[in-house]
DNA sequence: AAGAAGACGTA
DNA sequence: CGTACGTCTTCTTG
């Protein structure tokens, strides 16, 4: 083991070890569900974790090659040329591995023109000089030359990377018969086939060692080459230049200029959240606890040296009057944090770039400009404080939040309105990274400030560490905001200010309002469905002569494929699918009463389950108390395209398609004190956006003609008059049109329409022959995304697509389809958001009590107060219709009824 | 107790 | 081999 008194430096050749892992581990077992290969990453990290645990290095670095090219290939162009092409499945893993290492706070080093081993050599040399025990971990034999009394080599066995052999000075002598510094001389004589460096023919390790012991050194040997007799002697004399070249090429550089010194490689605490996130994404379940254990070790080691971040201000707690006076005097943005408990404000904190007045000595030295860096103040929520702050909170004075919505809601419940919402760091962070959002202020502090937000340990009854106070949270919020703002491209900043923040305020009111749902309606239906499900289950058992759990795909597979001997269906990860599409197919080819009963049972239990969860959500929001309404939560940062998502419960997936789903929707009713429900939805908004973006004359005409879209398109595609478009033709072009938006293939289309692939192909051909600009647009938009690295909506919302450049085909093609869809789905989301907050704001400005309750992507559900129908309907129609100026009109359908079902259409 | 997998609801 | 979501149940794992 290493000498515990000395610090230990571990330097690793990332490329060579990951490459060995790549070949050692079966790729099939190491791929994520979206197709990313991870075997090299996994093998490397598993090895590294074991290594860190065993050796407890105090300093770590991992070096990578930048490419095949290096100064060696310039000197000797044949160097490594016979190496086979690096498999693309491996190449793609290196950047991800580097991301993992970054999350683990391990330094990654690479340098143009230099090989990883040269970096190892340089670090090993510097480390040894600085008094470190150095561990070099590499799969390249050339690194044997680095071994000495301070430097030990860890070399992987043939098997892969699970076993590392330890070479200290003595081990090298035992194995090769020469001291480490002389090993390259052996290698020069023998040659290295894998590097395309031929040596002396007929000379292997044995002969080389014999000669070197005899002559003492390679130079002496080359000088005295004449003295060697026999064929090998002749060979040596003929290949003197090869040997010299080999020796020159296998000498590792020990003086590479690096951006970091050995001291900078000190082990630092990991970014626990980033590690969890990236490992989860790579589906490394078992590695997470292993890394966590490691993090514990690192934490202890790093605790001593961890540098203090920018010191937090000690928030003052001024009187209500002082606080108000100061806030009203502030001429810069103010960070605001409302601590919410049970839906109500508990404490409130502020921070600014101005010093807070000290209650005793207001106006003490504050520097020449008065700006002395952010300072903080806070107060507990009392009626006096609420009174004192109400005007300022409602004013236009700019305020910066981290996740404003719950705080806005709490203020609303306390009777206060919020104005001047200038920035939300969570929402802004999501706009920048919709695929990998930082969900909390702590994440953002970590990413943008590289500091830790102090958090009370929730596992401890009496926490040892204090969490940040609201004033300090505001201070962090303000600092993060400055960084995030610096990263926001102007168009994205506009999306934040002009779309997201107004939407946020509207959503807060929608969540507070909730939607009235009739428990009695739900309960009656639930009972009915329960009885039906039981009967269906009994019948199903009878059909197969035994009882199984119909909710268990595993047991169903036994019944279908073992007992009933039905043909195997689509494969899943763990067996064969039993989903509805598959069961319907089976019913056609191998009819069996069990199949139909099972499908019906599924439908009944699914409906009942939805009803039950809705029922238990009625008045479920404890903060409000049972009010007979359901209060969903809209997750504004919940999608990658710009859409909202809805949780607890999800009100964006209430059934509508099936026969009986109307009975669920009819339980969503107009609330007390209101007159009726209004539903408003955009018809074919995505196709309209497609028409606008592609500028396809045919599609634009379709929307301007007033003709039914699919009838119009069908007439063009099939070359008939609109009135002669049959239902079958209409179905086909409808599927085609909708499929376009998702990047549908001929294969997918044929499957959906249950037609031959050739017919599907023909259909697509005909379609594009008539609507060619659509195809051109779709192609060019993906191409543009490949160039830019992101897509953009009509309003400038961006979504990055790094995988468009991936060498992994599955990954790349998935990204292409998503990139195709993102501007269309995203623009639709933008338009709906704009319409939503305009309607919300107009209602308020017009003094209406009618209110928006729900948003279901292209539909709004609005509760109309008595006597307000006409005014409200007019606002809704106008605001949805003019939310965007497209080259085709935005068609809005409006319905009216006492419940959601009858208001729909 | 927590997470994965399969299934299925919506736009 | 069609995009974007959330939630339920069962089953596995710790």
């Amino acid at each position: 083991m290493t000498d515990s008194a000395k610090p230990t430096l571990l330097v690793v050749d990332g490329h060579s070890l990951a490459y060995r892992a790549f070949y050692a581990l079966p790729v099939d077992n190491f791929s994520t569900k979206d197709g990313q290969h991870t075997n090299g990453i996994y093998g490397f990290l598993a090895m590294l974790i074991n290594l860190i645990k065993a050796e407890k290095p105090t300093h770590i670095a991992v070096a990578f090659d930048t490419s095949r090219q290096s100064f060696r290939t310039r000197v000797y162009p044949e160097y490594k040329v016979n190496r086979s092409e690096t498999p693309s499945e491996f190449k793609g893993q290196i950047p991800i591995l580097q991301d993992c290492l970054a999350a683990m706070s391990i330094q990654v080093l690479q340098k143009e023109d230099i090989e990883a081993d040269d970096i190892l050599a340089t670090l090993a040399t510097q480390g040894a000089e600085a008094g470190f025990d150095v561990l070099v971990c590499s799969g390249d034999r050339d690194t044997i030359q680095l071994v000495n009394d301070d430097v030990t080599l860890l070399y992987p066995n043939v098997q892969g990377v699970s076993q590392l052999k330890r070479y200290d000075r003595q081990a090298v002598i035992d194995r090769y018969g020469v001291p480490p510094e002389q090993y390259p001389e052996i290698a020069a004589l023998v040659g290295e086939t894998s590097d395309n460096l031929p040596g002396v023919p007929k000379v292997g390790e044995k002969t080389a060692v014999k000669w070197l012991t005899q002559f003492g050194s390679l130079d002496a040997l080359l000088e005295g080459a004449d003295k060697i007799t026999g064929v090998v002697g002749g060979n040596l004399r003929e290949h003197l230049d090869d040997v010299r070249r080999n020796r020159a090429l296998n000498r590792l550089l020990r003086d590479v200029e690096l951006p970091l010194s050995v001291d900078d490689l000190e082990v630092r605490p990991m970014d626990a959240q980033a590690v969890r996130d990236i490992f989860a994404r790579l589906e490394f379940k078992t590695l997470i606890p292993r890394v966590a254990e490691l993090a514990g070790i690192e934490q202890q080691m790093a605790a001593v040296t961890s540098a203090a971040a920018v010191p937090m201000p000690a928030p003052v707690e001024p009187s209500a009057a002082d606080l108000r006076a100061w806030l009203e005097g502030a001429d810069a943005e103010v960070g605001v944090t409302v601590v919410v408990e049970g839906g109500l404000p508990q404490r409130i904190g502020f921070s600014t770039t101005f010093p807070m007045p000290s209650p005793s000595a207001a106006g003490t030295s504050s520097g020449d400009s008065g700006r002395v860096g952010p300072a903080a103040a806070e107060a507990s929520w009392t009626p006096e404080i609420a009174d004192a702050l109400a005007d300022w909170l409602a004013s236009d004075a700019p305020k910066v939040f981290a996740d404003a919505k719950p705080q806005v809601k709490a203020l609303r419940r306390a009777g206060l309105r919020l104005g001047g919402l200038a920035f939300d760091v969570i929402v802004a962070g999501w706009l920048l990274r919709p695929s990998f959002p930082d969900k909390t202020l702590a994440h953002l502090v970590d990413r943008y400030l590289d500091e830790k937000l102090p958090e009370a340990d929730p596992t401890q009854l009496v926490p040892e560490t204090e969490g940040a106070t609201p004033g300090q949270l505001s201070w962090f919020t303000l600092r993060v905001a400055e960084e995030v703002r610096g990263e926001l491209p102007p168009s994205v900043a506009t999306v934040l200010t002009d779309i997201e923040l107004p939407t946020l305020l509207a959503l807060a009111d929608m969540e507070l309002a909730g939607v009235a749902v009739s428990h009695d309606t739900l309960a009656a239906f639930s009972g009915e469905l329960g009885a039906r499900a039981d009967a269906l289950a009994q019948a199903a058992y009878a059909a197969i002569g035994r009882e199984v759990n119909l909710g268990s795909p595993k047991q169903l597979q036994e019944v279908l494929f073992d007992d009933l001997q039905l043909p195997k269906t689509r494969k899943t990860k763990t067996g064969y699918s039993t989903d509805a599409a598959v069961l319907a197919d089976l019913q056609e080819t191998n009819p069996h009463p069990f199949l139909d009963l099972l499908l019906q049972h599924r439908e009944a239990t699914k409906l009942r389950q939805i009803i039950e969860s809705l029922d238990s959500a009625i008045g479920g929001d404890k903060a409000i108390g049972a009010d007979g309404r359901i209060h969903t939560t809209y997750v504004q940062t919940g999608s990658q395209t710009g859409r909202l998502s809805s949780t607890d419960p999800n009100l964006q997936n209430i059934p509508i398609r099936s026969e009986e789903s109307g009975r669920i929707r009819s339980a969503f009713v107009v609330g007390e004190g209101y007159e009726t429900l209004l539903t408003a939805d955009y018809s074919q908004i995505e196709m309209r956006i497609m028409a606008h973006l592609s500028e396809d004359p045919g599609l634009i005409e379709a929307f301007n003609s007033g003709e039914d879209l699919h009838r119009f398109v069908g007439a063009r595609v099939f070359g008939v008059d609109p009135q002669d478009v049959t239902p079958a033709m209409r179905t086909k072009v409808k599927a085609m049109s909708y499929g376009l938006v998702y990047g549908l293939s001929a294969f997918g289309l044929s499957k959906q329409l249950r037609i031959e692939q050739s017919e599907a192909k023909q259909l697509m051909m005909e379609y594009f022959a008539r609507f060619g600009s659509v195809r051109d647009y779709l192609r060019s938009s993906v191409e543009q995304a490949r160039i830019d690295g992101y897509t953009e909506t009509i309003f400038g919302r961006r979504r990055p697509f790094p995988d468009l450049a991936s060498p992994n085909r599955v990954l790349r093609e998935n990204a292409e389809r998503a990139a195709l869809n993102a501007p269309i789905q995203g623009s639709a989301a933008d338009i709906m958001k704009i319409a939503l907050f305009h309607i919300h704001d107009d209602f308020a400005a017009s003094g209406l009590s009618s209110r928006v309750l729900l948003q279901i992507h292209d539909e709004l559900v609005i509760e109309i107060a008595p006597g307000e129908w006409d005014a409200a309907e007019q606002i809704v129609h106008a605001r949805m219709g003019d939310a965007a100026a497209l080259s085709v009109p935005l068609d809005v359908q409006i319905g009216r009824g006492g419940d959601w079902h009858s208001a729909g259409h």
Side-chain angles (χ1 to χ4, degrees):
Chain A
M1 278 294 113
T2 50
D3 182 349
S4 59
K6 286 168 88 177
T8 303
L9 166 67
L10 171 67
V11 291
V12 185
D13 182 340
H15 207 94
S16 78
L17 289 163
Y19 200 53
R20 280 176 179 253
F22 174 74
Y23 279 111
L25 298 173
V27 71
D28 293 347
N29 301 357
F30 293 93
S31 300
T32 65
K33 56 179 179 295
D34 52 7
Q36 173 67 52
H37 300 313
T38 56
N39 54 341
I41 306 170
Y42 182 91
F44 180 89
L45 290 174
M47 177 217 70
L48 184 64
I49 289 165
N50 286 340
L51 202 53
I52 295 174
K53 209 151 43 171
E55 307 291 348
K56 302 191 174 38
T58 55
H59 295 64
I60 305 181
V62 180
F64 288 88
D65 302 330
T66 52
S67 72
R68 276 279 182 84
Q69 309 301 317
S70 71
F71 70 94
R72 289 189 178 84
T73 55
R74 281 191 287 110
V75 174
Y76 178 55
E78 284 78 32
Y79 181 63
K80 290 189 177 177
V81 287
N82 60 352
R83 288 230 176 142
S84 49
E85 184 66 23
T86 313
S88 60
E89 291 86 349
F90 175 69
K91 264 191 219 157
Q93 296 188 41
I94 292 294
I96 302 172
L97 172 56
Q98 292 178 341
D99 288 345
C100 291
L101 293 170
M104 293 166 74
S105 302
I106 291 173
Q107 293 287 357
V108 168
L109 291 167
Q110 49 185 353
K111 187 166 177 174
E112 204 62 44
D113 211 38
I114 299 292
E115 292 188 68
D117 283 336
D118 299 306
I119 297 175
L120 299 191
T122 301
L123 289 174
T125 308
Q126 290 176 0
E129 275 168 12
F132 283 83
D133 274 326
V134 180
L135 294 168
V136 175
C137 183
S138 170
D140 192 326
R141 281 183 212 279
D142 286 337
T143 51
I144 291 172
Q145 64 187 275
L146 301 177
V147 173
N148 59 33
D149 290 340
D150 299 316
V151 179
T152 305
L153 171 67
L154 304 169
Y155 188 83
N157 279 352
V158 231
Q159 259 53 310
V161 292
S162 51
Q163 296 285 320
L164 294 173
K165 181 149 170 54
R166 230 183 155 75
Y167 285 102
D168 57 15
R169 197 177 166 77
Q170 193 53 49
V172 174
I173 295 173
D174 292 348
R175 166 68 180 77
Y176 294 102
V178 295
E181 58 276 13
Q182 220 169 14
Y183 174 80
E185 302 187 340
I186 299 181
L189 289 165
V190 175
E192 181 65 73
T193 33
S194 71
D195 289 346
N196 196 29
L197 295 175
V200 181
K202 302 285 177 209
V203 171
E205 245 172 65
K206 283 267 164 57
T207 317
V209 171
K210 192 180 75 188
W211 287 347
L212 288 174
T213 5
Q214 192 182 329
F215 286 83
S217 76
L218 186 65
D219 286 342
L221 168 66
L222 297 182
E223 203 127 305
D226 294 345
K227 301 194 185 87
I228 313 263
T229 55
V231 185
V232 283
N235 286 346
L236 173 60
R237 285 186 287 281
E238 274 174 33
H239 290 86
L240 289 179
D241 284 346
D242 281 348
V243 174
R244 288 200 188 93
R245 177 206 60 212
N246 291 353
R247 182 61 187 106
L249 285 175
N250 74 16
R251 172 170 288 118
L252 298 178
L253 301 185
R254 290 168 181 264
D255 55 358
V256 175
E257 243 181 77
L258 296 174
L260 298 171
S261 75
V262 173
D263 287 336
D264 298 323
L265 305 178
E266 182 156 24
V267 170
R268 290 174 299 150
M270 303 184 186
D271 183 343
Q273 192 55 47
V275 170
R276 261 197 297 277
D277 287 349
I278 194 164
F279 280 28
R281 201 153 48 96
L282 296 170
E283 300 171 14
F284 292 164
K285 302 154 216 170
T286 56
L287 280 190
I288 294 180
R290 287 165 69 187
V291 170
E293 189 190 340
L294 214 60
I297 300 169
E298 287 197 350
Q299 219 69 269
Q300 295 161 13
M301 294 190 300
V304 194
T305 52
S306 94
V310 186
M312 285 190 294
V316 292
E317 291 217 39
S319 70
D322 278 353
L323 190 52
R324 179 169 71 177
W326 177 80
L327 286 169
E328 283 170 355
D331 66 353
E333 284 183 336
V334 175
V336 183
T337 306
V338 181
V339 177
V340 181
E341 250 174 59
L344 291 168
Q346 218 55 42
R347 283 175 67 77
I348 187 163
F350 305 94
S351 82
T352 76
T353 50
F354 288 90
M356 294 302 290
S358 137
S360 50
T364 42
S365 76
S366 53
D368 42 342
S369 68
R371 291 173 193 271
V372 297
E378 56 195 45
S380 287
W381 193 263
T382 61
E384 294 73 48
I385 285 288
D387 267 359
L389 299 181
D391 290 345
W392 181 81
L393 284 169
S395 75
D396 287 341
K399 304 163 187 81
V400 178
F401 282 79
D403 194 11
K405 182 150 60 68
Q407 303 176 59
V408 169
K409 286 168 70 179
L411 291 174
R412 290 293 296 147
R413 291 197 183 105
L416 274 65
R417 276 213 85 91
L418 184 88
L421 177 58
F423 205 80
D424 186 315
V425 293
I426 303 284
V427 177
W430 164 71
L431 286 174
L432 282 172
R433 273 179 209 75
S435 61
F436 212 43
D438 295 291
K439 294 179 185 69
T440 63
L441 179 60
H443 291 159
L444 292 166
V445 166
D446 209 15
R447 180 193 296 277
Y448 287 95
L449 306 178
D450 200 19
E451 292 173 31
K452 294 274 172 262
L453 185 68
E455 275 170 303
D457 185 349
T459 61
Q460 285 176 304
L461 226 49
V462 185
E464 283 169 17
T465 52
E466 292 279 326
T469 72
Q472 290 167 337
L473 290 170
S474 307
W475 177 74
F476 277 111
T477 302
L478 212 52
R479 291 177 61 211
V480 166
E482 191 178 337
E483 299 295 321
V484 175
R485 210 177 240 141
E487 276 198 22
L488 277 184
S491 82
V492 182
T494 307
V495 172
L496 176 71
T497 313
D498 294 359
I499 300 181
E500 296 301 343
L501 295 180
T503 298
L504 185 154
L505 296 173
L507 293 176
D509 283 338
M510 289 161 64
E511 292 176 11
L512 286 170
V515 56
V517 176
S518 158
H519 163 80
D520 292 345
T521 308
L522 291 180
F525 195 19
S526 173
E528 212 177 291
L529 287 167
R532 189 189 306 170
D534 288 347
L536 286 164
Q538 291 308 322
Y541 301 153
I544 55 169
R546 70 179 177 115
E547 290 197 10
V548 293
N549 184 343
L550 296 175
S552 162
K554 190 165 167 270
Q555 294 183 35
L556 286 176
Q557 283 175 51
E558 281 176 31
V559 172
L560 297 179
F561 309 120
D562 295 343
D563 297 359
L564 301 182
Q565 289 290 312
L566 293 169
K568 298 272 175 29
T569 58
R570 179 168 58 85
K571 270 203 175 140
T572 66
K573 225 172 195 174
T574 53
Y576 297 93
S577 171
T578 67
D579 72 19
V582 155
L583 294 181
D585 276 347
L586 278 180
Q587 181 67 290
E588 285 209 352
T589 55
N590 301 62
H592 192 286
F594 178 74
L595 294 172
D596 199 43
L597 291 165
L598 172 58
L599 280 169
Q600 288 187 50
H601 179 263
R602 281 230 181 109
E603 193 180 342
T605 49
K606 177 79 180 177
L607 279 181
R608 191 167 65 134
Q609 168 253 107
I610 291 170
I611 290 165
E612 285 303 316
S613 66
L614 284 176
D615 195 38
S616 62
I618 297 177
D621 191 336
K622 293 187 198 83
I624 304 185
D627 59 359
R629 301 177 75 95
I630 292 180
H631 303 265
T632 185
T633 302
Y634 289 102
V635 186
Q636 196 168 3
T637 57
S639 82
Q640 304 197 42
T641 52
R643 277 189 175 181
L644 303 174
S645 76
S646 157
T647 64
D648 303 315
N650 180 356
L651 295 185
Q652 290 180 322
N653 69 343
I654 303 304
I656 189 169
R657 284 171 196 160
S658 70
E659 193 70 20
E660 299 181 279
S661 53
R663 288 183 64 180
I664 298 185
R665 292 199 165 214
S666 63
F668 287 73
V669 294
V670 58
E672 225 178 279
Y674 289 82
E675 188 177 69
T676 188
L677 291 183
L678 180 155
T679 67
D681 57 73
Y682 282 120
S683 56
Q684 300 135 348
I685 186 166
E686 294 193 341
M687 279 305 283
R688 287 169 196 268
I689 288 166
M690 174 85 96
H692 173 79
L693 290 174
S694 69
E695 297 175 315
D696 187 285
L699 208 50
I700 291 176
E701 194 192 331
F703 283 119
N704 287 323
S705 69
E707 179 74 72
D708 168 87
L709 171 71
H710 305 302
R711 186 167 291 280
F712 183 99
V713 172
R716 288 285 176 95
V717 168
F718 292 104
V720 299
D721 283 340
Q723 64 268 24
D724 296 332
V725 173
T726 64
M729 287 155 84
R730 191 176 181 280
T731 305
K732 283 177 184 170
V733 296
K734 187 176 172 184
M736 174 77 203
S737 288
Y738 277 108
L740 277 180
V741 180
Y742 305 136
L744 187 68
S745 63
F747 176 89
L749 187 63
S750 74
K751 237 181 128 181
Q752 194 199 322
L753 292 173
R754 292 165 167 266
I755 58 179
E756 288 301 312
Q757 219 171 295
S758 56
E759 192 191 338
K761 221 170 209 166
Q762 182 65 26
L763 178 62
M764 292 182 82
M765 295 261 300
E766 298 287 348
Y767 195 103
F768 286 133
R770 306 295 185 284
F771 302 95
S773 302
V774 171
R775 181 183 2 211
D776 296 345
Y777 160 72
L778 292 172
R779 282 214 183 123
S780 69
S781 91
V782 173
E783 206 35 58
Q784 193 59 43
R786 208 187 304 281
I787 294 165
D788 297 336
Y790 60 85
T791 59
E792 210 164 7
T793 67
I794 296 174
F795 296 88
R797 179 193 305 278
R798 293 183 183 182
R799 176 174 171 190
F801 282 99
D803 283 351
L804 287 177
S806 171
N808 180 323
R809 205 182 83 186
V810 178
L811 231 49
R812 188 180 59 249
E813 289 180 347
N814 285 342
E816 283 168 357
R817 284 190 298 276
L820 198 100
N821 173 261
I824 299 170
Q825 190 183 119
S827 295
D830 291 344
I831 290 172
M832 180 48 113
K833 281 177 171 173
I834 292 168
L836 167 61
F837 76 74
H838 279 160
I839 291 167
H840 170 269
D841 294 354
D842 275 10
F843 280 179
S846 314
L848 301 183
S849 333
S850 299
R851 51 192 186 170
V852 185
L853 304 183
L854 304 177
Q855 187 258 42
I856 308 98
H857 307 306
D858 65 1
E859 174 185 8
L860 294 177
V861 178
I862 294 168
E863 202 166 38
I864 304 294
E868 294 186 357
W869 173 268
D870 290 342
E873 198 265 353
Q874 195 271 325
I875 288 173
V876 171
H877 207 279
R879 286 313 206 168
M880 286 181 75
D882 67 14
L886 306 185
S887 41
V888 294
L890 284 171
D891 184 48
V892 180
Q893 303 272 336
I894 289 187
R896 173 178 185 156
D899 62 75
W900 195 2
H901 174 59
S902 54
H905 28 253

